[in-house]
Amino acid sequence: MSGRVAGLAALLVVLVLTCGLSIVLGARDVSWHTLWSAFTAYDDHDTAQRVLREMRIPRTLLGLVVGAALGVAGSLLQGLTRNPLADPGIMGINAGAALAVVSGVMLLGVGSGPASVWLAFLGAAAATAAVYGIASLGRDGATPVKLALAGAALTAGMSAVTTGIVMTHIEALNALRFWQVGSLAGRYLPVFWQVVWFIAGALVVSLVAGRLLNGLALGEDVARGLGMRVGLVRAVLFATVALLCGAATAACGPIVFVGLVVPHVARMLCGPDYRWIVPYSMVIAPVLLLAADVIGRLALGRGELQVGVVLGVLGAPVFVGLVRYRGVAEL
Amino acid sequence: MRTLLALAALVLVAACGSSEGGADKAAVKEGRWSYVSGNGETVKVDHTPVRIIAHSDEAAALMSYGIKPVGIFGNEKPAENRNLKDHDLDGIAVLGTAWGEVDVEKAAALNPDLIVTDWWPAEKAYGGFENGVKAKSKKLADLAPVIGGSQGKSLVETIAYYEGLAASLGADVAQGADEKEAFEAAVARFRKATAAKPGLTVMAMSPADDMLYVGNPPYSPELMDFGKWGLKVLAPKSPDPSFPYWENLSWEKADSYQPDLVLMDDRAWEQSQKIAAKQPTWKSIRAVAAGAVVPWPAYWIHTYASYAEQLDELAAAIENARADIGS
């Protein structure tokens, strides 16, 4: 018990350090002096100080909440489906959210404000239902492989439609890359405030849900025997996942791998108890997302690489490693 | 099996032969036709082409000389294309309304004898056949020879290319003399304006949500022309090696370049203004803070008439610009 608390505390320290790096490092070199004055004697005519206060800090905050949302969504989903390959990216949930936002904003003319978060939420919920429904067809139910296949197929289909919609609206052509891979760049405080309450609420529900996930992990019959209302619990938790993924996607576009890899890392560190996996994921995921974002800012020299691309590149070998050495099927 | 295939081939050949013998034949002029394309290769057809499929901007150039294509494809719906707005599109099939997408089946049904679209030397590809275009759409090139002016070192050359191409296709290009005259006058005004402001510097920019794209003059024919006519168009220091049209500048470093006047990509003018306004560093470009932002007609002009119009507007902007804003 105390070991897990210490582990979580250590991870929090790492998270704080990562946030620090995310504020200090970026395309523009910022001196310690500028950093100091940005907080003690803010001068909004100083471009470097504005970059810190109005770009780096909002970007870091956004990475923090979106990372937490994706990591927790992944751990909930893996617990709910008892499927080690369940991931909001792989299962098409983020792609569904992206498609809903793009259709709403470009076809129906819904503003890109809070309405887009609700749209993303609906899209995420619909995609979750569709993928789970398709994977459940057949005698053996929603096996890990079927879930991943259904998710991959629907992701491809929905991304293609998203691309089609964005491409035929020339005024939004530059939004295309964003809706394909996701990015933390160029999105500031208004976007953060738009999603933070949705995510905070869903995170609270998730933290409370650890015990329920442990029950579900024993299998539906056992959970029912323990007096759990399995149907209701699953519905609430799936809705929570959709809300987390919807809000994250509305803010940053579809981001993959965080939700897949992070719960496995958490499980390695704290064992199979979801009362710990959820908070561990909540801390590890933003570390991963922000670190990937910082790498993307520095990797190219002058321009920036989108965090979605960095995660794709880093995530694939990490995932292969996980499968290879830990045997993810032991969930 | 082999005989069956041969039979099928025979039937196909016969079918093609009969359609060529149809109504079109009367319109086809006798004799071989050839013309040098923007990539230096000579394109040959055994008759003067009359059934042309063209990329929308290039189609507008041909139509301004009275050559009407049978089909067009573009990066947007025809109604959203400003080159096409003055032309009658009745009877022209629309084969694509998004970048990289062409309905080749529909195009094949038009039985084209020439495909007209710009040559992009940086990408070594014709418009509609670049990297990223679906293989299915690229099959358009199997229907007929492809030809087009180069988006190279001068837009004047590109425009003149389409004038020449239209003439070779049978158009009377002399009727465009008035437009040409207006264009010459606009160039003269532009030269005069730049001569009066020798220290004035400009930069071409295209704002996007996650980056500020800075135009690289050697890869923009109109920026090259502006330079020839006396305007100091600054070049970005490190253009993207794989897509040298632009330097991809992080918004954090938007103030890296300080021209006196910003030419902003006008292809999605209102959207671009909104996107830029959201960025805390957009106004760290002093010209932007001073309101010195004017439209850059980026990569779309194909006729003397529209070039004249845009040059007049730019000349007016230069006449009113201050040369002491940038550094």
Side-chain angles (χ1 to χ4, degrees):
Chain A
M1 180 74 180
S2 62
R4 285 166 171 169
V5 174
L8 197 59
L11 285 172
L12 275 170
V13 172
V14 174
L15 179 60
V16 171
L17 288 175
T18 314
C19 288
L21 288 179
S22 165
I23 291 170
V24 176
L25 297 176
R28 189 188 189 100
D29 293 328
V30 179
S31 68
W32 293 107
H33 176 72
T34 309
L35 186 63
W36 178 253
S37 8
F39 295 98
T40 54
Y42 183 52
D43 170 11
D44 69 354
H45 293 296
D46 184 321
T47 307
Q49 290 188 28
R50 288 195 72 165
V51 165
L52 281 173
R53 288 270 292 246
E54 295 180 37
M55 298 172 92
R56 296 265 179 87
I57 291 176
R59 183 172 182 164
T60 305
L61 288 173
L62 203 58
L64 211 55
V65 294
V66 167
L70 291 171
V72 169
S75 64
L76 290 191
L77 208 52
Q78 292 182 5
L80 269 172
T81 58
R82 295 210 287 153
N83 179 340
L85 294 182
D87 160 68
I90 288 183
M91 277 188 64
I93 303 180
N94 295 351
L99 176 57
V101 175
V102 167
S103 323
V105 172
M106 296 188 185
L107 298 183
L108 307 175
V110 178
S112 52
S116 71
V117 183
W118 287 108
L119 275 175
F121 170 56
L122 286 177
T128 313
V131 170
Y132 204 72
I134 292 172
S136 304
L137 294 175
R139 229 179 319 169
D140 46 353
T143 63
V145 171
K146 276 163 73 181
L147 214 49
L149 284 177
L154 271 179
T155 300
M158 291 186 296
S159 307
V161 178
T162 304
T163 305
I165 294 173
V166 178
M167 289 252 282
T168 46
H169 287 71
I170 188 163
E171 75 278 7
L173 203 58
N174 87 71
L176 183 60
R177 279 164 304 119
F178 177 78
W179 287 113
Q180 276 179 332
V181 285
S183 168
L184 291 174
R187 319 185 66 74
Y188 308 113
L189 277 182
V191 177
F192 170 78
W193 289 119
Q194 206 173 299
V195 298
V196 66
W197 301 116
F198 291 98
I199 292 177
L203 287 180
V204 171
V205 173
S206 312
L207 285 173
V208 177
R211 186 184 301 273
L212 300 172
L213 287 166
N214 282 343
L216 285 177
L218 299 172
E220 273 187 32
D221 295 338
V222 181
R224 209 167 273 126
L226 291 171
M228 190 192 290
R229 295 169 67 184
V230 174
L232 180 69
V233 167
R234 291 175 75 105
V236 169
L237 292 184
F238 266 119
T240 309
V241 170
L243 190 55
L244 288 168
C245 297
T249 306
C252 296
I255 290 177
V256 292
F257 275 115
V258 175
L260 177 70
V261 171
V262 165
H264 289 288
V265 177
R267 205 171 286 118
M268 275 188 217
L269 296 175
C270 69
D273 184 343
Y274 276 97
R275 286 173 302 174
W276 289 100
I277 291 177
V278 173
Y280 265 66
S281 299
M282 197 183 293
V283 180
I284 297 169
V287 170
L288 175 63
L289 187 64
L290 286 171
D293 189 41
V294 170
I295 291 171
R297 294 180 215 170
L298 303 177
L300 291 187
R302 238 164 196 265
E304 294 192 9
L305 207 54
Q306 289 158 297
V307 68
V309 175
V310 179
L311 282 169
V313 171
L314 295 182
V318 170
F319 180 56
V320 170
L322 277 174
V323 176
R324 187 79 185 73
Y325 297 112
R326 288 281 304 180
V328 285
E330 72 192 25
L331 195 73
Chain B
M1 187 63 200
R2 193 170 288 171
T3 16
L4 208 65
L5 275 177
L7 265 176
L10 261 178
V11 172
L12 269 176
V13 168
C16 293
S18 68
S19 77
E20 266 176 21
D24 297 339
K25 204 168 184 180
V28 174
K29 287 181 195 137
E30 296 300 323
R32 295 179 65 84
W33 176 90
S34 78
Y35 205 77
V36 180
S37 186
N39 62 359
E41 285 170 19
T42 302
V43 171
K44 289 177 186 153
V45 182
D46 61 6
H47 58 268
T48 303
V50 287
R51 302 188 61 79
I52 295 162
I53 289 178
H55 189 263
S56 49
D57 299 319
E58 294 82 319
L62 294 178
M63 277 190 274
S64 69
Y65 296 110
I67 304 275
K68 196 166 181 177
V70 292
I72 56 173
F73 62 100
N75 301 342
E76 67 285 294
K77 295 190 189 89
E80 293 163 4
N81 182 301
R82 73 178 111 179
N83 282 321
L84 290 174
K85 70 178 192 294
D86 299 327
H87 295 287
D88 172 23
L89 303 180
D90 268 2
I92 299 180
V94 177
L95 306 170
T97 56
W99 184 88
E101 281 176 23
V102 182
D103 186 340
V104 176
E105 228 168 284
K106 206 168 158 189
L110 295 173
N111 213 1
D113 43 24
L114 192 66
I115 316 279
V116 177
T117 174
D118 286 336
W119 171 256
W120 294 87
E123 292 162 89
K124 292 192 174 57
Y126 285 106
F129 302 93
E130 304 98 327
N131 260 338
V133 172
K134 288 178 190 144
K136 215 172 115 189
S137 297
K138 286 186 180 174
K139 290 208 170 110
L140 182 65
D142 300 343
L143 302 178
V146 184
I147 194 169
S150 175
Q151 285 278 351
K153 299 293 174 205
S154 164
L155 189 54
V156 185
E157 283 172 23
T158 314
I159 293 172
Y161 180 89
Y162 285 104
E163 186 185 18
L165 181 65
S168 90
L169 292 168
D172 172 20
V173 294
Q175 59 184 335
D178 287 352
E179 278 96 1
K180 222 168 163 175
E181 213 168 278
F183 164 74
E184 302 291 355
V187 173
R189 181 181 172 191
F190 189 95
R191 280 181 184 276
K192 209 174 140 196
T194 56
K197 298 261 166 72
L200 185 79
T201 56
V202 308
M203 251 181 141
M205 296 181 174
S206 185
D209 277 323
D210 55 349
M211 252 180 250
L212 176 61
Y213 292 94
V214 184
N216 190 21
Y219 291 90
S220 160
E222 61 274 350
L223 294 180
M224 292 297 277
D225 283 346
F226 300 166
K228 263 175 253 161
W229 298 328
L231 187 62
K232 283 204 183 66
V233 187
L234 304 181
K237 284 193 197 95
S238 37
D240 182 346
S242 58
F243 205 64
Y245 301 97
W246 312 98
E247 168 169 336
N248 310 330
L249 192 62
S250 162
W251 275 113
E252 291 191 356
K253 299 178 87 169
D255 62 345
S256 302
Y257 303 116
Q258 294 290 355
D260 295 313
L261 182 66
V262 169
L263 305 185
M264 190 168 87
D265 193 334
D266 70 344
R267 283 173 295 179
W269 177 251
E270 278 163 29
Q271 185 75 8
S272 297
Q273 281 178 314
K274 270 190 233 157
I275 287 169
K278 275 194 291 194
Q279 300 296 336
T281 49
W282 177 232
K283 287 199 169 162
S284 67
I285 303 168
R286 292 197 290 276
V288 174
V293 181
V294 295
W296 160 32
Y299 301 103
W300 59 267
I301 293 175
H302 278 75
T303 61
Y304 290 115
S306 48
Y307 210 2
E309 202 179 294
Q310 295 298 321
L311 282 174
D312 265 331
E313 281 179 25
L314 280 167
I318 292 165
E319 285 158 11
N320 294 324
R322 282 168 43 196
D324 59 349
I325 298 175
S327 54

